[in-house]
């Protein structure tokens, strides 16, 4: 929904059903329906929303594609691997497969790449649709960041600006959180007291061997079954010993926290750290994720990275790598079924753009990789010709619970009078109790602090969202053109302003949200 507030300002509110499963290993997003009527107004092709400049080439290609046979991107063909979905995970997988000599085809339902990481434009303002906080993307040489490892492997770079802090706004007041181990510990002492600091140091000691394991253990080899030791043997005896820590690395972070942390403030703060990273509290967030994040963020010289041009520049770097090594990307190509033979995935059936045309079939000689959510993947499997193990997995998938959805607020404002020292990232906590409550935790990114090209001259771009704490049930099934749907949006965002009141936010940030 877009509402013009003034000649120089506008606000776009976007509700995304980003259901994420509570199992800590995966964070799938619900795939959107390919039908235009089922997309939010912010995603409709015919609206004044445009894909970001980084994906404009793919958009033009999809626009010019015809619906018949040879010239259509839906043409049937044979490849080594089919990747379903072009989220960051799917693009990384496809890029590596292409880099190492495999023929790969990426099928994406949307008309732009990137999944939750795609970007779009409104009246010269460039917006990130999803994540805006990154670490370990900049610099040369090796990196412990798996995404940077993929970019290095495909010899692609993403230009970034680096910084070292964000600002927390809590009921007790505002304070910076700095990416530095000593500064972080001092923040814990200042906000939580000496007892909290002592317990934080004890947690650091508990985490240290796990962090070493997380750093040495390649992300692609992480698994929770006994076969983890065999996987580690491929990387040498030292890494094989790390495999012994795998049960803890793949367990919830709370399993480690509960051993040493009793301080109420520190427990709440660690839950907040988990929640903004994974959309889940410590009891549901995988330990390896927190071990790696805390190690990477608090090491000497650590920085936070913002990709110039927005997150779509990451998507475009992965696209370049896929195409450079001969991979194929198909937009507006909705996979309607995974084809099985003898229990093995041998290809996919892709819905034709013209309902009068037959579906395209893409045969996969080596396999099919799905970047779709666990629930959408389950629906793609046929009812017949599946093994008992696949049938059991399918039944389990349907029972996998989801987190809440995300609600986004995209703002274009007049930048006149903004503090020149305004920080880019802000984290708002309205109430420490019930972090998962609706609109309780809000993340705010002001990327024009770093990249003025993301907005017209004299303007600023702001992306605010409440993460994984919005009930989707009240929206599910509503016609997005209906008065009921529009009225519900107004209820949540009266006069184009989301309810971030009652929090001690700086004057500059209050102006941004006014």
């Amino acid at each position: 929904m877009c509402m013009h507030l003034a000649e120089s300002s506008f606000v776009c509110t976007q509700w995304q059903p980003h259901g994420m499963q509570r199992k800590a290993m995966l964070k799938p997003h619900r795939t959107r329906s390919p039908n235009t009527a089922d997309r939010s107004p912010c995603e409709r092709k015919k609206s004044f929303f445009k894909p970001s400049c980084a994906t404009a080439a793919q958009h033009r290609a999809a626009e010019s594609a015809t619906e018949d046979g040879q010239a259509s991107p839906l043409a049937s063909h044979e490849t080594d691997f089919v990747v379903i979905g072009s989220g960051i995970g799917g693009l990384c997988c496809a890029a590596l497969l292409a880099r190492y000599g495999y023929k790969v085809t990426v099928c994406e339902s949307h008309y732009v790449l990137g999944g939750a990481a795609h970007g779009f434009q409104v009246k010269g303002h460039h917006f990130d649709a999803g994540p805006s906080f990154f670490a370990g993307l900049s610099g040369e040489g090796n990196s412990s960041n798996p995404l940077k490892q993929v970019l290095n492997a495909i010899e692609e770079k993403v230009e970034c600006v680096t910084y070292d802090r964000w600002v927390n706004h809590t009921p007790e007041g505002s304070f910076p959180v700095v990416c530095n181990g000593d500064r972080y510990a001092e923040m814990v002492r200042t906000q939580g007291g000496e007892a909290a600091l002592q317990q934080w140091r004890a947690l650091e000691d508990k985490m240290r061997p796990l962090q070493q394991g997380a750093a040495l253990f390649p992300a692609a080899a992480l698994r929770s079954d006994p076969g983890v030791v065999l996987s580690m043997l491929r990387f040498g005896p030292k890494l094989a010993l790390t495999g012994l820590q795998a049960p803890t690395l793949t367990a919830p972070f709370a399993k480690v926290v509960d051993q040493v942390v009793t301080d109420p403030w520190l427990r709440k703060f660690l839950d907040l750290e988990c929640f903004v990273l994974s959309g889940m509290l410590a009891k549901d967030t995988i330990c390896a994720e927190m071990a790696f994040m805390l190690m990477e963020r608090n090491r000497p010289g650590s920085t936070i990275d913002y990709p110039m041009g927005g997150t779509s520049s990451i998507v475009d770097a992965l696209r370049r790598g896929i195409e450079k090594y001969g991979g194929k990307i198909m937009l507006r190509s909705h996979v309607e079924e995974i084809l099985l033979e003898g229990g093995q995935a041998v290809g996919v059936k892709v819905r034709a753009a013209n309902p009068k045309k037959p579906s395209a079939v893409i045969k996969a000689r080596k396999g099919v990789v799905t970047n779709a959510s666990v629930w959408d993947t389950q629906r793609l499997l046929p009812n017949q010709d599946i093994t008992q193990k696949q049938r059991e997995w399918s039944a389990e998938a349907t029972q996998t619970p989801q987190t809440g959805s995300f609600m986004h607020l995209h703002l274009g404002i007049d930048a006149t009078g903004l503090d020149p020292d305004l920080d880019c990232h802000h984290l708002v906590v309205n109430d420490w109790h019930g972090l998962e409550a609706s609109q309780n935790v809000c993340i705010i990114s002001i990327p024009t602090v770093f990249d003025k090209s993301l907005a017209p001259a004299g303007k600023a771009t702001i992306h605010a969202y409440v993460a994984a704490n919005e009930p989707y049930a009240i929206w599910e099934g509503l016609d997005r053109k209906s008065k009921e749907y529009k009225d519900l949006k107004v209820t949540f965002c009266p006069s184009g302003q989301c309810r971030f009141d009652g929090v001690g936010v700086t004057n500059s940030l209050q102006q941004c949200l006014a």
Side-chain angles (χ1 to χ4, degrees), residues 51-84:
S52 68
C53 55
T55 55
Q58 286 75 34
H59 181 63
R60 288 193 296 270
E63 288 285 356
S64 62
T66 61
E67 295 179 356
D68 61 310
Q70 302 295 323
S72 170
L74 291 179
S76 298
H77 64 277
E78 189 169 321
T79 186
D80 290 330
F81 287 94
V82 173
V83 176
I84 304 171

Side-chain angles (χ1 to χ4, degrees), residues 170-172 264-265 267-269 271-272 275 281 428-441 469:
T170 71
E172 296 80 22
W265 181 89
R267 289 184 68 89
K268 289 185 293 188
F269 191 77
D271 265 335
L272 177 65
F275 184 71
L281 302 181
V428 179
V429 182
N430 287 286
D431 191 334
W432 283 112
H433 301 287
L435 290 177
E436 296 174 292
S438 176
Q439 296 194 48
N440 186 30
V441 176
N469 54 10

Side-chain angles (χ1 to χ4, degrees), residues 10 34 37 66 86 115 126 151 160 170 227 269 293 298 306 329 331 335 340 368 390 398 403 408 447 471 493 500:
F10 64 87
T66 61
S86 71
H126 297 245
L151 292 171
C160 295
T170 71
F269 191 77
M293 183 275 292
N298 290 341
Y306 185 79
I329 296 173
L331 299 173
V335 173
L340 300 179
V368 174
Q390 290 166 341
T398 60
T403 67
H408 297 257
C493 200
F500 303 130

Side-chain angles (χ1 to χ4, degrees), residues 253-286:
F253 182 51
K255 184 176 180 180
V256 179
V257 173
D258 289 345
Q259 295 178 31
V260 292
V261 179
T262 59
D263 180 79
W265 181 89
L266 184 56
R267 289 184 68 89
K268 289 185 293 188
F269 191 77
L270 292 172
D271 265 335
L272 177 65
E273 290 271 46
C274 291
F275 184 71
V276 298
L277 180 67
S278 70
M280 298 173 281
L281 302 181
K283 63 184 179 64
D284 294 311
T285 299
I286 186 173

Side-chain angles (χ1 to χ4, degrees), residues 73-79 81-82 105 107 330 333 335 339 346-350 360-364 368:
L74 291 179
S76 298
H77 64 277
E78 189 169 321
T79 186
F81 287 94
V82 173
T105 297
C107 295
M330 295 169 50
S333 301
V335 173
L339 302 176
V346 295
V348 298
K349 185 183 294 184
V350 181
V361 173
I362 305 175
K363 286 289 188 178
V368 174

Side-chain angles (χ1 to χ4, degrees), residues 290-310:
M290 292 302 295
F292 173 81
M293 183 275 292
L294 291 171
M295 174 191 67
E296 181 69 20
R297 204 179 65 190
N298 290 341
R299 64 177 172 78
S302 177
T303 61
I304 310 169
D305 301 308
Y306 185 79
M308 298 298 283

